[in-house]
Structures are given as structure tokens and as C-alpha cells.
Amino acid sequence: MAKNTSTAAPEGVGEPGGGLHGRRVSRNLRLEAAVNAAFALAEREGLAGLTMRRLAQEIDVDVTALYRLFRDKDELVLALCERTIEMELDEIGDLAPTESWQDVLRRVAEVTWRVQTRFPAITELTFARTTGGPAERQMVELLLGCFARAGLDPTRAVLLYRTFIDTALGLCAGTAALHSLQPEVRTKDHTTWTRVYSHLSEAKFPVTRAHTDALSAVDDKAIYDTAVEAVLSTAESWASRSRGV
Amino acid sequence: MAKNTSTAAPEGVGEPGGGLHGRRVSRNLRLEAAVNAAFALAEREGLAGLTMRRLAQEIDVDVTALYRLFRDKDELVLALCERTIEMELDEIGDLAPTESWQDVLRRVAEVTWRVQTRFPAITELTFARTTGGPAERQMVELLLGCFARAGLDPTRAVLLYRTFIDTALGLCAGTAALHSLQPEVRTKDHTTWTRVYSHLSEAKFPVTRAHTDALSAVDDKAIYDTAVEAVLSTAESWASRSRGV
DNA sequence: ACCTGAACACCGTTCAAGT
DNA sequence: ACCTGAACACCGTTCAAGT
């Protein structure tokens, strides 16, 4: 069953004592180890450091051994994507049935931000991908359930679910892309606001000049929260309209 | 003046007949040519095809000549970012003073989508960057002006301006990332929804199953429009509240 | 003052040859 | 059945040597 999810298959269920059993377990263990090492490597060295060669050396195997665990680098990337969602589901934990759909979505958004910004390199690689794996399926069911509970018809529920998750991941990816620039370039990029925008001519850029302080003070998490709340408000508005309020 | 914007300086203004004149013009012309070629290359070959070596060969110069035009690849990327914004400003054109701030923002969003999705490779490279260049400054002034006109105080105007542009570019980047996958991988990724999600067990994934058709039918532009409208609604709501309505 | 060729330290990926 | 070494076709970037 589910032969397309080898990267997250349960460890050696079935075939008791069969010859395949031990090999499969050890294969999954090595897969796990490779994925774990990739996270460590990504956190430590950034996007440029996450290469097949460095990863192989990190877990002390030959590069070509990695190509027996993953068909190519893209398959590794999808495994990292699945694992990211697993971590998020873990952190979300069990949901009290009393919790409103809005608060569930806020919790998902919060956890997503935390995990995705902790591993910026992996966010850059995975933020637009679809794995079809078990963790992703569970996340889809959870999120879609929120918008369905809100009282939206299927078309609108799906549209808002995708708006919610794509917006959230897109903003995480933007922040991640900045954080994974070389420290030097990153500082240059970040200080542009004060370096350039506070010295513009009052005549040609009156509005920008009037907003200089606010421009350099705004922070990424506030932007993220604002976007999330904007989508939630839209969901509430659509839901109440379809209930005929 | 403005020595940090060499990539977009006007062509040889001042120093009439000076020795620097001709050299500067020709330098800017070669810079222009390189940037134009990079767009053509990116559109034709995708992200993987946009390398310093291939770009040099495209404009028939040695690779090292490129490094006399751009300090490094990042400087080329920033030039491409500026040029993207220039194209967007061009397409936006002149604004009728009668146009509401909402409609101006809708037009900017529309043009941004069109340009960014036309050059997905460049969107991936630039969507989170800040250039500090003239085109970017003009765009900031234009967008910030909309939110200020709406009646928001500076802090809220800046917060919503950044939410608007970061959300828009993040969604464009997500779409761009999908479009720049190898055609094979891309089809795999896109068909995941029908391949995996329509075969889930009714018992474990009831909500997903009830939304199968909608999940495979949703399109990226509708998601983008929904997100943009969500931010506009928030702006309207904040504006009316601060006017004491 | 500009251009050229060659090199450095990397990539992802493949494959024949070993055990 | 697994592992190793070497290779292929690339990267971004630098630099001495030419004109």
C-alpha cells in the first residue's frame, strides 16, 4: 500500500521474519539519519552548505550511497518537506474540540512561522512544493476542516485554504531568503531602508520621507500576523454572507 | 550623485565632451545589453540556465568581462530586480487622479502578477530583495501613498504596505518556483492532487475527500486575487476605524 | 586600459570496477 | 548485494599574463 511514500513508511510492518524485514528497517533508519543530518547541516551551514557531497560526509558515507537512498536531490528535498510538516504537526499537538476554527488556524500559523524560520534553507527549497506524503495529507485535512467548519462551500473553502497556506509559506520564504544571504549582503540589504530611504529628497518622495522611521522599524513577524488575520477576516466575512447574515 | 545606483544611472548626463563621457555611455550600454540578455536567457532557459558563463556567451564577451560590469552575480540579480520594477512601472503608466487608492493597488497587483510570472526565474532570484534603486523608490512612494491616502497613520500604513507587497511577491514566487521545475517534476508535483488526494480513505480523510474536485480545480491567480483583496479589506477596515466610524 | 586563458574549489550525477 | 574511485559536464570567481 501507498508505494509512493517510501520515505515515511512505517518501519517493517508485515512480513514477520522475512528476508526483506531487516533490510527495510535498516534502510529506513539510514533514511531517517540522512534527513536528520540534512536538517542539522541546513541549520548550521545554510542553503549553500546543503549539498549531496557535504551531507554524505556528514553521515560518513560515500556520495553515491546517498543516491541509493534518494533517486536525486529533489527526492531528498521532498523528504525534508515532509519532515518539516511532521515537526509542525507535532508542535501543534492535540486540538481541544472546543477551540474555534479561527484559533486553530492561528495556532497553525504560529507553529508554521516558528518551524519555517528556524530552518530558512529548507523553507527556500520546499515552500512551493507538494509531497503527497502522510504528514502533508494530515495537514491538508486539518486546515481544510477549519474552513469547512466555518461554513464555506467546497469551492470557497479550498480557495481560502490555499490562500491561507500559500500566503503563510510565501511570507516565510521571503524572510528565509533574507536570512540565508551571506551576512555581509544581508546587512547591506537590511540597512537599505535607512541608508537610502531616509536620504531621499522631500520634494520627489514626500510620502516615503514622512514614513522613514516606520519603514525601518517594521518587523517581519508583524507583517506575517497581519496577512494571516486578513485571510481569517475574509473567511469570516464569506462564511457569514453564505449563512445569509 | 547617488553612486550606489550605477546600474540605472542616466546615460552620460553632465561632463560635456569629457574623457569619461564616452566610456561611461558605453559602459551603461553594455550594462543594459547584459541585463536585457539576462531576461531573454531567463525566459528561454529558466533559473538553471541563468549563469554567468551562459550570459557572457549570450552577449559574446568573455566571462571575466561580466565581472567588470557586475562585482558578482548578486549585483546582476539586483540589477534584474530593478529592471523588473521598471517594467512594472512602465506597464502601470500614468494614474488618473480620480482613481481610488484601492483601484491603484489592484492595478499594481495585476501588473506585478503579469510581469513576475512572465519571468519566473528572475522572480525566484529577486522576490525577497531590496535594491534601493530609483525604480524601487518610485514604487515605494506609489504604494505607500495609497495606504497614506486611505487615512492610515504611518505605522499602520507601512505595516499594510509591506503586507501587501510581501504577500504579492511571495505568492508570485511560489507560482514561479513551480513553473521553473523541470517539466517532468512539475507535472508530478501538479498532479499530486489528483494522483494522491482523490484516493484517500473516506474514513481517515473525510474533509479532503469531500473537496477533491475543488482541490484540483483551484488556480493560482484566484488565490493571488483573494489574498490581495483580503489585504485591501483590512486596509479599508483599519482606515474607517481610525476615522472613528 | 582592457582582454584572454587557465586555474581553483566546488556542484549534481553516473558508472565501471571492485568485494 | 553493496561499496569505491574516477569521471563528466557543469558552477562562481580570481588572477597572472598578454596586447
Side-chain angles (χ1 to χ4, degrees):
Chain A
M1 58 172 171
K3 63 180 172 221
N4 51 343
T5 57
S6 58
T7 60
E11 297 174 20
V13 179
E15 63 243 27
L20 275 170
H21 183 75
R23 272 198 288 279
R24 236 189 235 183
V25 168
S26 110
R27 184 188 156 79
N28 282 343
L29 286 178
R30 282 178 300 164
L31 253 155
E32 279 287 297
V35 169
N36 289 342
F39 270 89
L41 199 54
E43 196 173 21
R44 183 153 42 86
E45 314 266 2
L47 184 59
L50 188 53
T51 72
M52 296 298 271
R53 279 180 163 93
R54 301 254 284 248
L55 176 56
Q57 147 184 349
E58 186 88 356
I59 55 179
D60 221 60
V61 301
D62 197 89
V63 205
T64 59
L66 265 188
Y67 282 89
R68 285 193 293 280
L69 293 176
F70 307 99
R71 186 212 315 274
D72 51 23
K73 196 180 180 181
D74 192 65
E75 200 167 292
L76 167 64
V77 166
L78 290 182
L80 296 175
C81 188
E82 264 287 297
R83 178 55 149 269
T84 305
I85 303 173
E86 276 172 36
M87 292 169 54
E88 285 160 2
L89 287 171
D90 271 4
E91 242 183 271
I92 290 165
D94 290 329
L95 298 163
T98 59
E99 215 162 357
S100 73
W101 59 268
Q102 290 95 328
D103 283 344
V104 173
L105 290 174
R106 285 189 185 102
R107 188 138 119 220
V108 173
E110 192 66 28
V111 167
T112 298
W113 175 265
R114 213 149 53 212
V115 173
Q116 301 285 345
T117 55
R118 181 172 167 203
F119 302 102
I122 288 171
T123 297
E124 286 194 83
L125 289 171
T126 63
F127 82 103
R129 305 303 304 277
T130 299
T131 69
E136 188 187 64
R137 295 177 209 175
Q138 204 178 325
M139 184 65 95
V140 171
E141 181 77 8
L142 169 62
L143 291 176
L144 212 42
C146 289
F147 292 102
R149 261 210 283 157
L152 297 170
D153 63 273
T155 301
R156 284 176 213 271
V158 163
L159 181 56
L160 270 190
Y161 148 66
R162 286 289 307 271
T163 304
F164 175 84
I165 194 67
D166 291 9
T167 298
L169 291 178
L171 289 170
C172 288
T175 303
L178 278 185
H179 280 64
S180 80
L181 294 173
Q182 343 269 20
E184 176 215 333
V185 180
R186 185 180 156 196
T187 311
K188 187 185 83 184
D189 206 289
H190 185 262
T191 57
T192 296
W193 294 107
T194 51
R195 194 172 42 77
V196 175
Y197 283 88
S198 57
H199 296 80
L200 297 181
S201 84
E202 180 82 44
K204 284 176 63 185
F205 301 98
V207 184
T208 306
R209 279 297 299 274
H211 291 73
T212 304
D213 294 343
L215 278 167
S216 49
V218 69
D219 95 298
D220 292 333
K221 183 52 164 41
I223 292 165
Y224 181 80
D225 290 338
T226 304
V228 167
E229 289 301 326
V231 176
L232 291 193
S233 293
T234 301
E236 285 172 359
S237 153
W238 286 9
S240 65
R241 227 181 311 163
S242 81
R243 265 191 259 101
V245 179
Chain B
M1 58 171 172
K3 63 180 171 221
N4 51 344
T5 57
S6 58
T7 61
E11 296 174 20
V13 179
E15 64 247 28
L20 274 170
H21 184 75
R23 272 199 288 278
R24 238 190 233 182
V25 168
S26 110
R27 184 188 156 79
N28 281 343
L29 286 179
R30 282 179 299 163
L31 252 155
E32 279 288 297
V35 168
N36 288 342
F39 270 89
L41 199 54
E43 195 172 23
R44 183 153 42 84
E45 314 266 3
L47 183 59
L50 188 54
T51 72
M52 296 298 271
R53 279 181 164 93
R54 297 244 273 214
L55 176 56
Q57 147 184 349
E58 186 89 355
I59 55 179
D60 221 60
V61 300
D62 197 89
V63 206
T64 59
L66 266 188
Y67 282 88
R68 285 193 293 280
L69 293 176
F70 307 99
R71 185 212 315 271
D72 51 23
K73 197 181 179 180
D74 192 64
E75 199 167 293
L76 167 65
V77 166
L78 290 182
L80 296 174
C81 188
E82 264 288 296
R83 179 55 148 271
T84 305
I85 302 173
E86 276 173 35
M87 293 169 54
E88 286 161 2
L89 288 171
D90 272 2
E91 242 182 271
I92 290 164
D94 289 328
L95 297 163
T98 59
E99 214 162 358
S100 72
W101 58 269
Q102 290 96 328
D103 283 342
V104 174
L105 291 174
R106 285 190 185 100
R107 188 140 119 219
V108 173
E110 192 66 29
V111 167
T112 298
W113 174 266
R114 215 152 47 216
V115 173
Q116 301 285 345
T117 56
R118 182 172 166 204
F119 301 102
I122 288 170
T123 297
E124 286 194 81
L125 289 172
T126 62
F127 84 103
R129 304 303 304 277
T130 299
T131 70
E136 189 187 63
R137 295 176 208 177
Q138 204 178 323
M139 185 65 95
V140 171
E141 182 76 8
L142 170 62
L143 291 176
L144 212 42
C146 289
F147 292 101
R149 260 210 285 157
L152 296 170
D153 62 273
T155 301
R156 283 176 214 272
V158 164
L159 181 55
L160 269 190
Y161 148 65
R162 285 289 307 271
T163 303
F164 175 84
I165 195 66
D166 291 8
T167 298
L169 291 178
L171 289 171
C172 288
T175 303
L178 278 185
H179 281 63
S180 79
L181 294 174
Q182 342 270 20
E184 178 215 333
V185 181
R186 184 179 156 196
T187 311
K188 188 185 82 184
D189 206 288
H190 185 262
T191 57
T192 296
W193 294 107
T194 51
R195 193 171 45 75
V196 174
Y197 284 88
S198 57
H199 295 80
L200 297 180
S201 84
E202 181 83 45
K204 283 176 63 184
F205 301 98
V207 184
T208 307
R209 279 296 298 275
H211 292 75
T212 305
D213 294 344
L215 277 168
S216 50
V218 69
D219 95 298
D220 291 333
K221 183 53 164 40
I223 292 165
Y224 182 79
D225 290 338
T226 304
V228 167
E229 289 301 327
V231 176
L232 292 192
S233 294
T234 301
E236 284 172 359
S237 153
W238 286 9
S240 66
R241 228 181 309 162
S242 81
R243 267 192 258 99
V245 178

